[in-house]
Amino acid sequence: NRRIDPSPSNIIDLFLLTKNYEQAYRNYAQDFTGTIALPRVPTVEQLKTEFSDLETVKSVSDSIIYNHARFKPLFGNKAQEELQASFKVVKNSNTVVTDSEVKSQLIAAVNQYFAIENWDFGETFYFSELSAYLHNELRTIASSIVLVPTSNNQTFGSLYEIKCQPDEIFISSATVDNVDIIDSITADKIKARQTTSGDYV
């Protein structure tokens, strides 16, 4: 659906993420009130106007194709159904912090982990890395944190590795509603699947 001049020898496919859109989408993704609408993606013409300086520095034989980057939300209800999950947290037995505070601190840490400066296009998410980060940040209030998919078609561990497309960047849409405080990690609570040998995975 784009008109491309066939004469240039180099076609540069450029993916851009504007600061205004990034902030607007982050506000939408992390909104739990349902009052913030999905922001409109900048059009090709808007990108071409905003980044018009690129036209002055490119070679005459180059043609720039402007594309806007996409976000891939994880965990919360703004994510695709197969990417929605809840964080199961076992509190540290020595902490006096309330459940609400634990939930708030965990979501704040998750949001910081998915800050835009920490990610690039097309990366792969590994829960093992997020888990290590969360256990370090919340070490005084949480003794165990696991990620459990909410879809009935998935089991524990299904979301421990997630890939995105070359024009996508991860963002968390999790809110405190996606955090559950539990007494202990059991197979039932984490939707673990029992193998023929009797082990849980």
Side-chain angles (χ1 to χ4, degrees):
N1 63 350
R2 308 271 178 87
R3 184 189 305 172
I4 299 177
D5 185 353
S7 60
S9 58
N10 297 312
I11 296 177
I12 303 171
D13 218 12
L14 193 62
F15 292 91
L16 302 163
L17 178 62
T18 61
K19 187 175 182 64
N20 288 340
Y21 180 78
E22 185 268 331
Q23 188 57 61
Y25 193 96
R26 192 168 296 277
N27 292 339
Y28 159 77
Q30 297 168 2
D31 170 49
F32 60 88
T33 65
T35 58
I36 299 180
L38 176 67
R40 290 185 177 182
V41 176
T43 65
V44 173
E45 289 305 317
Q46 288 174 325
L47 292 175
K48 195 169 184 178
T49 300
E50 185 171 351
F51 296 93
S52 58
D53 288 349
L54 296 175
E55 299 289 338
T56 65
V57 297
K58 72 177 182 65
S59 172
V60 175
S61 61
D62 294 342
S63 179
I64 299 178
I65 308 301
Y66 294 87
N67 305 276
H68 199 277
R70 298 182 296 153
F71 278 111
K72 187 165 188 171
L74 302 176
F75 315 134
N77 60 11
K78 305 293 174 56
Q80 296 178 2
E81 183 178 358
E82 64 271 19
L83 297 178
Q84 295 180 16
S86 62
F87 292 89
K88 306 291 186 182
V89 181
V90 178
K91 289 172 58 175
N92 189 319
S93 58
N94 297 320
T95 187
V96 294
V97 175
T98 65
D99 289 0
S100 296
E101 289 177 295
V102 172
K103 292 181 179 183
S104 296
Q105 289 191 40
L106 184 139
I107 292 301
V110 170
N111 289 339
Q112 182 56 46
Y113 183 83
F114 284 97
I116 192 65
E117 60 269 18
N118 296 334
W119 295 87
D120 205 345
F121 299 122
E123 289 198 71
T124 299
F125 162 77
Y126 297 100
F127 179 69
S128 58
E129 296 177 356
L130 173 59
S131 176
Y133 175 81
L134 293 177
H135 279 91
N136 181 63
E137 291 295 307
L138 307 177
R139 58 186 177 276
T140 60
I141 62 175
S143 60
S144 183
I145 303 170
V146 294
L147 185 69
V148 180
T150 58
S151 172
N152 292 327
N153 298 323
Q154 295 172 297
T155 58
F156 179 70
S158 300
L159 301 180
Y160 274 35
E161 180 179 336
I162 305 172
K163 297 181 180 180
C164 67
Q165 297 300 313
D167 63 335
E168 292 180 322
I169 293 180
F170 288 119
I171 188 172
S172 171
S173 65
T175 68
V176 292
D177 292 334
N178 301 111
V179 183
D180 295 323
I181 308 299
I182 59 178
D183 297 328
S184 60
I185 302 293
T186 64
D188 179 61
K189 290 178 180 178
I190 65 174
K191 297 174 66 175
R193 176 173 53 84
Q194 190 173 22
T195 65
T196 54
S197 63
D199 296 327
Y200 285 95
V201 295

